[in-house]
Amino acid sequence: MIQAEDLGKDFDGFRAVDNVSLEVHAGEVVALLGPNGAGKTTTVRMLASLLRPSRGRATVAGFDVVESPLDVRRRIGLLTEHHGLYTRMRAVDYLEFFGRAHGLPRQVIRQRAATWMATFDLAEAEGRRLGEYSKGMRQKLALVRALLHDPPVLLLDEPTSAMDPASAHQVRRNIQLLRSEQRALVICTHNLLEAEALADRIAIIRAGRLIAVGTSGELKRRFLGEPLMELRLAQDVDGAASLLPAGVQAAGAGSDWLRYHTSQPEVVNPQVLHALARAGVRVVTLAPVQRTLEEVYLMAVGSPPEAVT
């Protein structure tokens, strides 16, 4: 659905995006992460045919973003950081305006608008002027607008910003449903928990360059190493690390706990438990240490930018 090859953008000698290559397939959600000013929004605007790339090329739903910008725009739903809502309009009129701009019949617009407004708990507010909407309600209405023409590609910039937890959960749930309908989605977000919950793959951009792409698990292995296991013991044990079987190296130890890395927990964990049992050491728990996407992100953006591998 989306294919970018060596995409780049310069502004008066400043290189905002540098050789970004990325594919997003139908039915897939990709989260684009990076610090402020890293090039996320510029990349999305190029994919949306709102900015002309300085080099490289990109296609969206089979159409080149430079050669066929109108075809690209017809096939994307774009949620930007600044929604451009006309605050004097009522929601129903606002959605009809954009639906007609996409060439939709009035009856189709009303049916789809009613469905999505109800989905996002906005049905009772459809007759109110947008200036009376809260920030979270405006965010949801902008998302309804992006979905109105049933696009196969969604480009969402901070889709749950300014929302209360219940509304954010509602939007995330519906994003999951949109993926099941064989759409391709790109989500720019600073919410790392949201990115990990929603995304099939995560792309990290820094200083205009894509420095890492992969699933959450792949990125954790790349930046944090092998899975880390932790044992909690029923009693204090002096030198517990020495009880580990050959080939298993302790990554940390205390009087009643022990940690070690392993890429094969299904093989190594039984060996560790057997060794401790033979030594008469009782084990309370053995579980993987939960490693977060935040750790990955901080390691990735804290290192000098390099080409993605």
Side-chain angles (χ1 to χ4, degrees):
M1 277 294 182
I2 299 173
Q3 185 169 16
E5 300 175 2
D6 299 325
L7 204 60
K9 182 64 181 177
D10 298 334
F11 294 101
D12 297 327
F14 171 71
R15 185 153 293 180
V17 175
D18 186 15
N19 296 329
V20 167
S21 295
L22 181 67
E23 291 185 356
V24 185
H25 304 282
E28 184 178 34
V29 177
V30 171
L32 188 59
L33 309 181
N36 291 331
K40 303 185 300 297
T41 298
T42 300
T43 299
V44 167
R45 287 177 176 171
M46 286 190 286
L47 294 177
S49 288
L50 298 179
L51 280 178
R52 187 184 182 93
S54 301
R55 61 196 159 276
R57 66 185 299 270
T59 59
V60 174
F63 293 94
D64 189 280
V65 298
V66 173
E67 297 175 0
S68 306
L70 294 180
D71 290 306
V72 169
R73 292 171 198 157
R74 290 188 185 103
R75 287 161 176 82
I76 64 168
L78 179 63
L79 177 68
T80 60
E81 183 179 1
H82 304 290
H83 311 314
L85 299 179
Y86 301 101
T87 55
R88 293 186 179 182
M89 294 183 76
R90 301 183 192 278
V92 63
D93 300 321
Y94 174 81
L95 294 174
E96 182 167 333
F97 173 83
F98 277 95
R100 295 299 293 272
H102 279 288
L104 298 177
R106 180 166 294 165
Q107 187 60 30
V108 172
I109 296 170
R110 290 178 177 175
Q111 289 174 350
R112 292 182 181 176
T115 297
W116 285 114
M117 291 287 280
T119 297
F120 291 113
D121 290 338
L122 294 173
E124 294 182 1
E126 67 176 10
R128 291 164 55 183
R129 297 188 188 278
L130 304 189
E132 301 173 30
Y133 277 33
S134 68
K135 288 183 179 179
M137 292 171 69
R138 293 181 186 187
Q139 182 86 346
K140 289 195 285 187
L141 182 67
L143 187 54
V144 171
R145 180 195 65 198
L147 293 166
L148 197 61
H149 58 297
D150 196 27
V153 175
L154 287 172
L155 306 174
L156 309 179
D157 194 351
E158 298 290 348
T160 61
S161 66
M163 289 186 184
D164 61 78
S167 293
H169 174 76
Q170 181 186 56
V171 169
R172 286 193 292 268
R173 184 182 69 243
N174 282 288
I175 288 175
Q176 294 281 17
L177 295 176
L178 289 170
R179 170 171 54 189
S180 70
E181 295 176 8
Q182 294 301 297
R183 287 184 176 89
L185 291 90
V186 174
I187 300 174
C188 297
T189 181
H190 290 295
N191 187 328
L192 300 182
L193 293 176
E194 180 173 275
E196 191 160 22
L198 289 176
D200 299 290
R201 289 186 297 135
I202 293 162
I204 302 176
I205 189 169
R206 181 193 172 199
R209 305 192 72 185
L210 204 57
I211 59 175
V213 180
T215 66
S216 176
E218 289 168 346
L219 294 182
K220 287 176 182 178
R221 286 190 292 273
R222 173 181 168 185
F223 287 95
L224 305 178
E226 296 179 340
L228 182 64
M229 308 301 299
E230 182 177 89
L231 281 159
R232 288 288 172 175
L233 309 177
Q235 71 261 33
D236 291 342
V237 178
D238 292 331
S242 64
L243 301 177
L244 291 173
V248 181
Q249 184 72 35
S255 61
D256 62 349
W257 64 272
L258 185 64
R259 287 183 173 184
Y260 60 89
H261 289 283
T262 177
S263 60
Q264 296 180 297
E266 70 281 1
V267 174
V268 173
N269 289 355
Q271 295 175 351
V272 169
L273 292 174
H274 182 65
L276 292 174
R278 283 189 306 173
V281 176
R282 291 173 297 154
V283 175
V284 177
T285 60
L286 171 58
V289 176
Q290 295 301 315
R291 297 178 297 177
T292 67
L293 185 59
E294 181 180 43
E295 296 174 84
V296 171
Y297 176 83
L298 292 175
M299 289 192 69
V301 301
S303 58
E306 298 176 356
V308 62
T309 57

